[in-house]
Amino acid sequence: MMLIPVVAILVADPRAPDFPEQVPGLMEACLADAVATNSVTETDDSHKYICGGDAAARLWAFLERAKIKSYEQDTPDEGRWLGRDFPLGACFKQIRRADGTAGGKGLSCTIWVPRPAVGTADKS
């Protein structure tokens, strides 16, 4: 009977949902990490959540597997970074330090949650 082994394989290794169905769960883990590490700030128009560690690594790996096109950014103080965007955010991986040496373990993801700009809140 071949049916039992096939069913066992399907149950033991369920196929991960396709893009973008995994994004909400990955973003939730990133938001939780940012809150836990007190990495939440405000910009003029958003709340900025920055996660690192396992949450960022899983989100980066997912974006890579989904073949999200990357781009490079140079920052004078922090070197060269590879970035990948997703809805409401982006992940950044250091590929070269400012001194020209190979990138370190720098990996973070940022989620921007929009907020009303100061003075523009609905007063009704």
Side-chain angles (χ1 to χ4, degrees):
M1 283 254 163
M2 281 301 243
L3 185 58
I4 301 292
V6 171
V7 171
I9 290 170
L10 291 174
V11 172
D13 188 20
R15 184 172 174 265
D18 292 330
F19 184 84
E21 287 76 14
Q22 287 185 3
V23 174
L26 293 168
M27 287 177 65
E28 180 180 13
C30 184
L31 291 168
D33 179 81
V35 170
T37 60
N38 199 30
S39 298
V40 182
T41 58
E42 289 186 2
T43 68
D44 288 340
D45 59 358
S46 70
H47 295 279
K48 182 177 173 182
Y49 296 78
I50 301 175
C51 69
D54 189 48
R58 286 193 325 264
L59 189 48
W60 178 267
F62 173 75
L63 295 171
E64 199 168 40
R65 283 190 313 272
K67 299 189 184 336
I68 300 301
K69 187 176 178 181
S70 62
Y71 57 92
E72 290 188 17
Q73 278 185 293
D74 284 320
T75 59
D77 296 332
E78 298 180 16
R80 180 172 290 223
W81 294 77
L82 194 60
R84 286 196 165 95
D85 293 339
F86 58 90
L88 296 178
C91 289
F92 305 96
K93 185 176 192 176
Q94 188 180 44
I95 54 176
R96 181 131 344 256
R97 292 187 177 113
D99 65 6
T101 59
K105 296 183 185 240
L107 172 63
S108 66
C109 296
T110 302
I111 297 174
W112 293 275
V113 177
R115 68 179 185 89
V118 175
T120 62
D122 184 14
K123 306 218 190 290
S124 47

